[in-house]
Amino acid sequence: MTRFLRRTGFHFARKRSRGEAVWRNAAPSNPLTGGDISCPSRPGPPLAPAESMKAERYNAREAEPRWQKIWQERGIFTTANSDPRPKYYVLEMFPYPSGRIHMGHVRNYTMGDVVARYMRAKGMNVLHPMGWDAFGMPAENAAIERKVHPKAWTYENIAAMKAQLKSMGLSLDWSREIATCDPAYYRHQQKMFLDFWQAGLVERKTSKVNWDPVDQTVLANEQVIDGRGWRSGAEVEQRELTQWFFKITAFSQDLLDAIDKLERWPEKVRLMQKNWIGRSEGLLVRFALAAKNAPKGFDEVEVFTTRPDTLFGAAFMALAPDHPLAKAAAQRDPKIAAFIAECRRTGTAQELIDKAEKKGIDTGLRAVHPFDPAWQLPVYVANFIVMDYGTGAIFGCPAHDQRDLDFARKYKLPVVPVVVPEETDAKSFEIANEAYGGDGRLANSRFLDGLAVEAAKEEVARRLEQEKRGNRPVAQRQVQFRLRDWGISRQRYWGCPIPVIHCDACGAVPVPEKDLPVVLPEDVEFDRPGNPLDRHPTWKHVPCPRCKKSARRETDTMDTFVDSSWYFLRFTAPAAKTPTDAKAERYWMPVDQYIGGVEHAILHLLYSRFFTRAMKATGHAHLDEPFKGLFTQGMVVHETYQKPDGAYASPAEIRIETEGEKRRAVLATTGEPLEIGAIEKMSKSKRNTVDPDDILSTYGADTARWFMLSDSPPDRDVIWTEEGVQGAHRFVQRLWRLAHELAEIAAPANAPRPKSFGSAALAVRKSAHAALAHVSEDIERLRFNRCVAHIYEAANALGSAIAEARTAGLLAADLAWAFREAGEILVRVVEPMMPHLAEECAAALGYRKLIAEAPWPALERNLLVEDTITLPVQVNGKKRADVTVARDAGNADIETAVLALDAVKRALDGKRPKKVIVVPQRIVNVVA
RNA sequence: GCCCCCGUGGCGGAACUGGUAGACGCGCCUGACUCAAAAUCAGGUUGUCGCAAGGCAGUGCCCGUUCGACUCGGGCCGGGGGCACCA
């Protein structure tokens, strides 16, 4: 299974123009209807499935695979790059092939599919691809635990998940499928690594990492629990390792600035990214060290501050434990060394140190205040200063920084307020246990007194910039970012090899392009911890490409976030010989609508934004921002059930019993009572998962899709309930029955449009077009729960109209025509959400083509406006009556009509109204 | 600790830009069909007073702006999320 993917690519895609279907595989045409669809799985005319069954119920299990097969055979979801229509690129975050899809996937892919099908109906050339984020640790864990090769495990999982996704009836272009573990994919990633390197966007440097000594690998921060490796339980060490980095910080400012232009991104995500990048403007200030006891080679300390205005409130200076000066001081004072060692130890237990006390030790060194040579500040080493932000040293101003205040109180340092809130007396302003971080005027600050905070910052910067010491200004303005470079080295097997060869003579040498890809060797053992690439007998040993002497391959592989940072670009031309095809990339990018979980709000999305910029810089892309529209969907959550002994029971094992409005859960087998617990994210540990396979086989894909969209706004969590699913399933059946009822009474497919419509027919048309208008708008704004409500409403209205027509006995031609129109609109607007049912209903209505290929109905706007309008009438803001007037009635006429109403007369009690407010087309308020 | 978001019936949620609060669904109640049940169909369902017509209260709590506030402003309470010694 080396090439499981058949990449047909765009050049093989069939050509077709809009509206002209090419149905090469179709069964012989029905002579009466022309290019009919027929169902390859069953003989007979197109109406067979609906008519011949004559069953009372819609059988999703039989119908869904049948339609899926027809769609596939017609290739209607295969997208051509050469299509002249405007493009629309819909993408859902591709899955990790864990082996089974979960409900979160069902929700995610359903949403994307609704958008894709809608845009297709609106005449767009839609790209809606799918692939696999196929590298990663679970495959290696499986290899260790179950002795399966990561590759075999991964591809088996892909096959299983693909089958599951297919059963959902998603309109995906499977011809573009990619798997990131395929050398055909990662070779381009290696090429880009080299290009980035050449462009100065890759760097090799040492950094501190969490090292698991048992598993012999680097752990990500989230894999360290209470200072121990999550798998091995071994105490994690801080190690200095030489690693490869992508220089994402080269784009810090641009990544920040561009966020404002991402208008179709959730505000929440934009804010999270801004905070993550964490820009702050400040001043680098050089503090001279008092000469008498400064260690050799140190005559000053540089400090970064965002509050230079508070310089006269300085009480101390503090150094990070890793600061070079702290290390120098430790060498001659064992007490300082001991303190630094203590800081290192608490360094791993994240949660605990968060609340840890501010602690420090006086080094005995003294720093000189930049504005007053006679003023010396004690220099401490402190546990709350980190080396990798700013300069690893600060000056502490206790009055205006809580941490500094806590520290000052502990070590009895002076607390002098230098910023005083407006309209507060500087003399009486005191700091107790809360630092003052607000705005105000400067005080106790010599030449700064009376200035506003901003002006004081400016004044300090101006003065210190001009002052020189040793030929350099004492201070300079600086912008700091919280964002760090992206370390991509992982001591792992199942990842993209970093295409570098280490030579003792030449250093790190790029693998020549002709030797790409560097393919993972398949003969590896997982019997020992550590990276199998590192101990592979042959793979590692290669001649240096430059000097030909024996050299070693880089055995680290890339962080899997790299794989997912450009897959959306690869989808535009998945078979291209270069990472991207310029023409296809230009046509398709950016992704118009990207849909996925909020958990990727920062890392994946920020890395992708960086990668796209880096690809632009190296000529592989034409734009900076890959995702024009982003939507983050909520989770699927479920009730939990606990037995008296605390063990959890799964939804499949329980039964809900109701007594009036009381619900209680019991174990289905024994009737043992269960406690209904909190509604939580579906997880194995709480056993509150629902298997999509069970739902799909019991109710069918359409029911699952419909329920996923119906209950909650898509960005919020949706509670999966059995009752809700059954409700969705009832609607599936109801629509199906409705279609069959309509088939009996509606006008034939090509009946001529009546010249005019009576009131009954008009009402049917109005309700259908109102639904059409609402559904269109709500899909465009991704408000799927409202689409669902409007479809319910339309179906209810249509059902009532049919019942009325039945009662009346006589069916006028105009009403029969309106019924047909309404039925077709209803089926069409249902299709993005329940595509199989829509096809089935359309067939029942005598529709001869695929509804999935039918254009979106044209909206007749004039049906949305009424001749008369009913306005609510308020008296003093409380609704008392309604008034019906002509749509274009003047305010004076409305006022007269309102004052004539009984309810208004009663409320006014014979008095004259003070005022009558008429809000056109909205409301009337009478002020008594 | 800092930043952000959210509080509406028994439940999930509607309510466009300040203009009829509770659309639609779930659940529940009543009725029809049935020997019965399921399914289906019809009706009801914010609370409260009332036989009714209708009245009163009501969108976490308090205050304000407005002819009019779920919506805007201030304060508080509760829930969720992000970041975390970021100088």
Side-chain angles (χ1 to χ4, degrees):
Chain A
M1 205 162 49
T2 43
R3 297 278 302 169
F4 84 111
L5 299 174
R6 292 245 321 272
R7 286 205 182 72
T8 52
F10 63 89
H11 35 274
F12 292 119
R14 72 213 165 81
K15 280 189 192 141
R16 83 187 151 83
S17 59
R18 194 132 105 81
E20 176 209 345
V22 178
W23 291 335
R24 255 183 301 263
N25 299 328
S29 297
N30 181 323
L32 293 174
T33 53
D36 263 358
I37 47 165
S38 68
C39 309
S41 56
R42 21 171 78 241
L47 279 177
E51 277 186 354
S52 67
M53 283 195 303
K54 280 286 176 207
E56 297 287 309
R57 295 175 68 78
Y58 167 58
N59 183 356
R61 204 191 292 211
E62 178 274 328
E64 289 183 349
R66 178 157 43 79
W67 291 111
Q68 285 161 15
K69 197 169 172 215
I70 294 170
W71 298 331
Q72 185 175 346
E73 285 171 357
R74 304 265 153 81
I76 62 172
F77 305 130
T78 308
T79 303
N81 284 1
S82 56
D83 196 305
R85 293 174 297 169
K87 68 96 183 181
Y88 196 90
Y89 187 176
V90 199
L91 185 68
E92 301 96 55
M93 291 180 183
F94 69 164
Y96 177 80
S98 59
R100 303 194 68 77
I101 61 169
H102 53 68
M103 282 300 177
H105 292 126
V106 174
R107 196 175 189 204
N108 190 190
Y109 299 135
T110 299
M111 290 180 189
D113 201 44
V114 172
V115 175
R117 285 176 180 268
Y118 172 77
M119 287 299 170
R120 220 174 264 123
K122 292 289 267 187
M124 311 291 272
N125 186 31
V126 172
L127 177 56
H128 186 213
M130 183 54 73
W132 310 97
D133 190 12
F135 272 137
M137 298 223 315
E140 282 187 65
N141 294 337
I144 295 163
E145 282 157 20
R146 291 192 270 140
K147 312 248 177 280
V148 218
H149 194 279
K151 182 176 174 179
W153 184 85
T154 302
Y155 280 104
E156 277 164 28
N157 286 348
I158 286 174
M161 285 177 78
K162 189 172 172 178
Q164 286 186 301
L165 290 181
K166 286 200 161 181
S167 71
M168 280 181 64
L170 303 169
S171 65
L172 292 164
D173 180 356
W174 284 104
S175 75
R176 293 178 188 248
E177 180 180 5
I178 54 182
T180 57
C181 64
D182 186 341
Y185 179 80
Y186 69 67
R187 71 172 298 147
H188 302 292
Q189 195 164 304
Q190 292 173 340
K191 159 78 170 130
M192 287 191 288
F193 174 92
L194 298 176
D195 288 351
F196 291 1
W197 195 5
Q198 198 153 37
L201 294 169
V202 171
E203 207 176 20
R204 198 159 179 254
K205 57 187 178 189
T206 55
S207 80
K208 266 204 278 179
V209 294
N210 303 307
W211 179 261
D212 185 321
V214 172
D215 279 356
Q216 297 189 20
T217 188
V218 165
L219 297 178
N221 283 330
E222 58 272 18
Q223 294 162 348
V224 181
I225 300 153
D226 293 335
R228 290 171 180 277
W230 68 287
R231 159 179 295 286
S232 66
E235 206 161 318
V236 169
E237 298 167 9
Q238 300 284 307
R239 268 207 190 181
E240 291 261 322
L241 268 191
T242 306
Q243 308 232 90
W244 291 97
F245 286 83
F246 281 142
K247 287 175 75 177
I248 188 169
T249 57
F251 296 98
S252 296
Q253 188 66 55
D254 187 44
L255 286 168
L256 183 69
D257 292 343
I259 291 172
D260 289 331
K261 286 178 234 148
L262 298 172
E263 283 163 21
R264 284 182 49 230
W265 279 42
E267 195 48 49
K268 183 181 165 181
V269 175
R270 301 205 287 178
L271 194 73
M272 280 165 74
Q273 292 221 349
K274 279 185 186 173
N275 291 339
W276 188 264
I277 295 169
R279 182 186 196 272
S280 55
E281 278 177 25
L283 200 63
L284 270 179
V285 185
R286 299 159 62 204
F287 281 67
L289 284 175
K292 61 173 191 212
N293 61 350
K296 240 197 184 131
F298 293 92
D299 55 2
E300 63 173 27
V301 182
E302 205 165 14
V303 150
F304 175 71
T305 179
T306 53
R307 294 297 303 271
D309 54 309
T310 64
L311 209 43
F312 287 103
F316 63 95
M317 172 173 287
L319 306 171
D322 300 320
H323 195 280
L325 180 58
K327 285 180 182 165
Q331 277 190 351
R332 54 185 204 197
D333 186 344
K335 273 190 293 203
I336 299 175
F339 178 77
I340 291 174
E342 190 195 321
C343 292
R344 288 246 171 81
R345 239 173 293 126
T346 46
T348 44
Q350 280 297 335
E351 302 301 322
L352 291 171
I353 47 154
D354 291 346
K355 297 256 159 88
E357 206 182 346
K358 310 275 174 281
K359 272 197 230 164
I361 186 165
D362 190 348
T363 58
L365 301 168
R366 293 293 175 263
V368 181
H369 196 282
F371 282 125
D372 185 349
W375 184 352
Q376 296 199 347
L377 300 168
V379 178
Y380 283 77
V381 175
N383 65 349
F384 64 100
I385 309 300
V386 291
M387 191 58 218
D388 43 349
Y389 187 79
T391 60
I394 61 142
F395 78 81
C397 176
H400 304 291
D401 183 292
Q402 192 59 44
R403 293 156 305 179
D404 295 350
L405 183 63
D406 295 344
F407 191 80
R409 292 293 185 220
K410 188 172 168 75
Y411 296 103
K412 309 258 185 301
L413 297 163
V415 178
V416 181
V418 289
V419 176
V420 175
E422 295 288 350
E423 283 157 38
T424 305
D425 179 31
K427 290 202 180 73
S428 59
F429 185 66
E430 272 181 42
I431 300 292
N433 290 318
E434 243 172 83
Y436 178 68
D439 211 349
R441 302 236 161 237
L442 273 286
N444 304 320
S445 295
R446 307 185 192 182
F447 54 85
L448 297 175
D449 282 354
L451 289 180
V453 166
E454 281 312 308
K457 283 182 182 172
E458 185 56 35
E459 180 62 17
V460 169
R462 199 183 57 78
R463 289 195 184 217
L464 292 181
E465 267 175 339
Q466 281 168 5
E467 200 173 316
K468 297 241 161 124
R469 194 166 66 231
N471 228 357
R472 264 177 63 212
V474 169
Q476 68 192 97
R477 291 168 214 253
Q478 209 197 30
V479 174
Q480 276 286 338
F481 291 94
R482 210 187 73 101
L483 184 67
R484 299 291 140 71
D485 279 331
W486 174 15
I488 58 155
S489 299
R490 296 290 181 273
Q491 293 67 40
R492 286 282 164 197
Y493 165 74
W494 196 232
C496 172
I498 296 173
V500 172
I501 291 165
H502 297 284
C503 169
D504 290 333
C506 311
V509 180
V511 171
E513 216 178 307
K514 66 174 172 51
D515 296 338
L516 293 182
V518 176
V519 179
L520 285 172
E522 297 199 14
D523 51 336
V524 283
E525 304 274 343
F526 292 90
D527 50 347
R528 278 177 288 157
N531 182 356
L533 291 178
D534 205 29
R535 53 170 191 265
H536 192 279
T538 54
W539 184 79
K540 188 173 155 180
H541 306 286
V542 281
C544 169
R546 217 167 270 166
C547 69
K548 309 296 173 207
K549 279 189 218 137
S550 67
R552 303 164 311 280
R553 275 192 198 286
E554 170 69 63
T555 57
D556 285 351
T557 51
M558 293 185 208
D559 180 5
T560 54
F561 273 115
V562 181
D563 311 335
S564 54
S565 291
W566 70 285
Y567 76 104
F568 42 87
L569 282 148
R570 186 66 185 165
F571 275 139
T572 64
K577 293 204 160 54
T578 45
T580 54
D581 172 278
K583 202 173 152 218
E585 187 270 330
R586 243 169 218 284
Y587 173 64
W588 286 116
M589 291 298 289
V591 175
D592 294 279
Q593 187 63 60
Y594 195 34
I595 307 175
V598 240
E599 63 273 24
H600 296 109
I602 296 172
L603 295 184
H604 163 59
L605 290 167
L606 194 60
Y607 291 154
S608 298
R609 296 180 62 217
F610 157 73
F611 218 89
T612 305
R613 282 167 170 76
M615 284 174 73
K616 185 183 174 195
T618 50
H620 296 295
H622 82 285
L623 78 180
D624 291 323
E625 289 298 337
F627 311 121
K628 196 167 178 199
L630 173 72
F631 189 83
T632 53
Q633 103 265 9
M635 295 184 299
V636 183
V637 295
H638 198 288
E639 270 180 341
T640 51
Y641 309 101
Q642 261 179 306
K643 296 178 197 168
D645 65 358
Y648 286 97
S650 78
E653 299 167 331
I654 69 122
R655 192 175 64 228
I656 297 288
E657 295 178 345
T658 48
E659 276 175 30
E661 290 187 357
K662 285 248 191 300
R663 291 172 77 240
R664 51 187 202 141
V666 298
L667 210 56
T669 45
T670 62
E672 189 185 346
L674 297 164
E675 193 188 329
I676 300 180
I679 296 168
E680 293 186 58
K681 179 182 181 173
M682 287 188 179
S683 73
K684 279 184 194 145
S685 60
K686 296 279 166 64
R687 300 198 68 208
N688 61 340
T689 56
V690 172
D691 187 351
D693 264 358
D694 291 347
I695 300 300
L696 293 177
S697 59
T698 311
Y699 299 102
D702 286 336
T703 298
R705 293 169 61 120
W706 185 249
F707 179 61
M708 273 304 182
L709 299 168
S710 65
D711 254 31
S712 294
D715 52 343
R716 275 199 230 169
D717 291 350
V718 63
I719 305 171
W720 186 272
T721 62
E722 188 60 25
E723 293 87 349
V725 181
Q726 281 168 1
H729 191 63
R730 272 202 295 277
F731 185 65
V732 168
Q733 297 297 347
R734 193 143 66 90
L735 257 189
W736 186 81
R737 282 195 307 270
L738 198 60
H740 284 79
E741 281 185 66
L742 277 174
E744 285 171 27
I745 61 169
N750 35 22
R753 179 187 168 118
K755 294 243 160 45
S756 64
F757 295 93
S759 64
L762 203 57
V764 167
R765 298 198 68 216
K766 278 182 174 174
S767 129
H769 280 266
L772 173 62
H774 283 128
V775 171
S776 309
E777 197 198 332
D778 286 332
I779 291 180
E780 275 165 32
R781 295 167 72 171
L782 308 177
R783 297 189 299 205
F784 306 117
N785 57 323
R786 299 193 355 165
C787 291
V788 167
H790 286 123
I791 288 171
Y792 270 116
E793 238 167 334
N796 289 346
L798 194 52
S800 306
I802 293 171
E804 268 170 49
R806 282 249 162 88
T807 316
L810 241 155
L811 186 66
D814 63 336
L815 185 55
W817 193 90
F819 277 142
R820 156 144 307 272
E821 183 192 30
E824 286 185 2
I825 287 176
L826 186 60
V827 164
R828 182 60 266 200
V829 300
V830 155
E831 184 266 350
M833 298 174 232
M834 297 195 280
H836 313 87
L837 178 68
E839 298 289 4
E840 197 75 6
C841 290
L845 282 167
Y847 202 77
R848 302 296 179 192
K849 289 181 180 171
L850 286 174
I851 205 80
E853 287 191 295
W856 201 249
L859 178 66
E860 290 183 29
R861 290 213 167 267
N862 60 326
L863 288 170
L864 303 183
V865 285
E866 302 287 341
D867 293 338
T868 60
I869 48 171
T870 300
L871 296 175
V873 175
Q874 295 181 333
V875 177
N876 290 336
K878 286 207 188 296
K879 196 210 159 188
R880 287 294 128 120
D882 289 300
V883 67
T884 300
V885 295
R887 180 157 50 92
D888 48 4
N891 284 5
D893 296 339
I894 296 174
E895 198 172 321
T896 314
V898 163
L899 293 176
L901 292 168
D902 283 343
V904 174
K905 281 187 192 157
R906 213 183 310 138
L908 285 175
D909 199 19
K911 295 189 205 96
R912 290 189 150 260
K914 284 201 188 106
K915 207 169 168 190
V916 178
I917 297 156
V918 178
V919 184
Q921 309 296 310
R922 285 251 176 239
I923 202 165
V924 181
N925 192 12
V926 178
V927 185

